[in-house]
Each structure stands twice: as C-alpha cells, then as structure tokens.
Amino acid sequence: MKKLFKFILNTIPRPILIRVSIVVRPIIAFVLKGNRFTDPIDGKSFRMFLPYGYGTQRNNVLSPSTLSLERHRLLWLYLKNETDFFTSTQKVKVLHFAPEQEFYKRFKKQSNIEYTTTDLLSPLADVKADICNLPFEDNQYDIIFCNHVLEHIPDDTKAMQELFRVLKPGGWGIFQIPQDLNRATTFTDDSITDPKERAKIFGQYDHVRVYGRDYFDKLRSIGFQVKEIDYTNTIAPEWVEKYCLAKGEIIPLVRK
C-alpha cells in the first residue's frame, strides 16, 4: 500500500488528486472502519490511517474520512480548544491559501466568517492569485491561514510581505510549514533539480527549501509578532497517539 500511495502522489497532479479523492474517500473510510485511531475533525474512528509521503512514507497519518494529515488535526484541535474561531458571534474576514479539503466545506458553512480562498491552481480557490502579488487591499483580513505553502515559493520574503500587508492590524494568522527543528537555519539549494532527489532532500518534489528554527525570526523580521506553540505538549500522550499527531510540531501563530 505504501508503494501504491507513493506512486500516486508523485505521478498524479494535485488538482486531479483533489477531484478524484472526493469520489474515492467514502469507500476507503467504509473499508477501514475501526476504533484504534480517531479523526477529531469529524469524530470518526478507524482501525488504521493511510500512509503518506512524497519521499519517505509515514504510516498511519492520512485520515480515511477527511484526508487530514497530522498538521491538519493539530490545527483543528488548536482552533477548537484555544480560540473562538468556531464560536465567535462577531463576523470576521478570513483568507485561506491553498484550502485543504478537510477544512473547506466546514469553514464555508460558518455564518460567523466571511470566507475567501485563494491559490494559483486549486479547484477550491475562489480567487486565482500569486501569493507574491495578491489582488487584495491593504489591511483587509482579520484571519489568514497559509499552511504548507511558503516552502513552495521561491521568494518567500515577498510572500510574507504580502501576507503582512493584507492582514489587518490586530489580526492573526497561522502559517504552518514543514520544519526541521534540528536545523538552526533554513536550507535551500537551487542546483538540485531532479524531482526524485528533491523529494528525498526537501520532503516533496515541489518544495524549494527545508525550514529551520530561523523561520520564526524571518516572520518577525517582516513585522509579525510570532508565538511558537508546541500544542502537542499540552495534550495527553494517549490522545496524541489516538489522533495521530506529530509530537513536537510547532504551530506558528502570528499577529500584526
């Protein structure tokens, strides 16, 4: 199964995968029903989660029902338990880059947010736009989600500046990235062009860097206030395992 999923991820374009998964997902979820692991996003349980990874495959990480990964479930738990994102009675404007399937329909149904999605290629995007040249006014959004996007962007400084520009003063955002916390500094090498080698070194064939611990300081240099939240450290170990979270993953919470 691991080889099959690796082949699919590395050969089928992401927009097509999104469309196909809408049809296949209910079938896989039915076959894998059980009680070992639980997806906190929809509350459904399974005997196993699916493997995932463009380079090295991780076992039991892809939820059969929502197709969420560790980072998605962690973000959901944080938003639900530590913020008023789902419960606030004050309507706010939310901008979501490269919207994830597991969040898209749920966020869109919320009456307390004015929800806009954006991406260059995603079929779920309301606005097709380049993150380095956004077609939005200054200080427009109360909340911005930009998760696992910046590692794809050659000029991430410009992208961060655009994120800062369109976020309202007093607004907040979460900008998750794949991160190697053992690295003090971010690694990039434009001379590596072979897709297989890029997947091996950067974790995915279309990533352009591996972020280190300096990621947070780079956000600060743009003007953001940054809080590094190790949310798995506040969750009981048995639930970290039950929800299939990545122990020690940091949530970058930014404010303007």
Side-chain angles (χ1 to χ4, degrees):
M1 182 179 288
K2 290 175 67 175
K3 288 183 178 179
L4 174 62
F5 272 80
K6 186 174 182 178
F7 174 79
I8 291 172
L9 288 171
N10 283 284
T11 55
I12 302 178
R14 191 184 300 269
I16 296 176
L17 277 177
I18 291 174
R19 292 187 174 94
V20 171
S21 66
I22 294 172
V23 177
V24 175
R25 183 173 53 190
I27 300 171
I28 297 176
F30 177 79
V31 171
L32 295 181
K33 277 185 178 180
N35 56 19
R36 183 181 177 191
F37 301 116
T38 298
D39 186 337
I41 297 175
D42 63 2
K44 293 182 180 179
S45 297
F46 304 93
R47 59 183 173 85
M48 64 176 287
F49 277 7
L50 298 166
Y52 188 87
Y54 286 79
T56 301
Q57 291 262 297
R58 310 187 304 281
N59 290 322
N60 290 313
V61 294
L62 184 67
S63 165
S65 57
T66 67
L67 300 184
S68 65
L69 294 169
E70 308 100 316
R71 64 179 185 267
H72 305 128
R73 296 186 290 274
L74 182 67
L75 176 57
W76 180 272
L77 289 167
Y78 179 78
L79 292 175
K80 181 180 178 182
N81 298 331
E82 306 299 329
T83 77
D84 63 355
F85 179 76
F86 296 108
T87 59
S88 174
T89 57
Q90 181 180 356
K91 195 159 189 173
V92 295
K93 296 183 69 173
V94 176
L95 181 62
H96 193 169
F97 287 83
E100 300 91 344
Q101 288 188 69
E102 54 272 31
F103 297 145
Y104 177 74
K105 287 185 177 180
R106 291 171 173 84
F107 290 178
K108 210 166 184 64
K109 289 179 180 178
Q110 288 183 224
S111 60
N112 66 329
I113 67 175
E114 182 181 329
Y115 185 56
T116 301
T117 60
T118 184
D119 190 66
L120 273 177
L121 300 174
S122 173
L124 302 181
D126 299 318
V127 180
K128 296 294 192 294
D130 180 353
I131 192 173
C132 293
N133 186 24
L134 295 173
F136 307 121
E137 296 178 2
D138 295 357
N139 307 317
Q140 187 170 352
Y141 291 97
D142 299 283
I143 300 171
I144 296 178
F145 297 122
C146 182
N147 297 320
H148 282 239
V149 172
L150 293 171
E151 70 275 9
H152 297 267
I153 310 301
D155 190 352
D156 64 339
T157 300
K158 179 60 177 173
M160 291 176 185
Q161 289 170 340
E162 282 290 270
L163 292 171
F164 187 81
R165 179 181 67 80
V166 301
L167 184 64
K168 287 182 180 179
W172 60 274
I174 293 179
F175 304 161
Q176 290 173 303
I177 39 87
Q179 186 175 27
D180 182 356
L181 292 172
N182 292 316
R183 290 181 180 270
T185 57
T186 295
F187 171 75
T188 186
D189 187 343
D190 294 337
S191 70
I192 304 171
T193 57
D194 178 72
K196 290 183 179 180
E197 190 68 11
R198 295 191 69 82
K200 179 180 177 182
I201 294 173
F202 296 110
Q204 198 164 304
Y205 68 91
D206 54 354
H207 288 184
V208 298
R209 66 182 61 81
V210 179
Y211 282 107
R213 297 191 302 275
D214 59 343
Y215 171 67
F216 309 113
D217 286 334
K218 181 160 188 177
L219 288 171
R220 292 183 180 105
S221 73
I222 301 298
F224 291 108
Q225 300 172 36
V226 183
K227 189 173 182 181
E228 304 162 29
I229 301 173
D230 182 2
Y231 195 55
T232 60
N233 195 42
T234 70
I235 301 171
E238 59 268 26
W239 287 105
V240 170
E241 182 177 354
K242 186 77 171 178
Y243 293 146
C244 293
L245 305 177
K247 183 67 176 175
E249 180 176 355
I250 302 300
I251 296 176
L253 175 66
V254 305
R255 295 188 183 276
K256 179 176 177 179

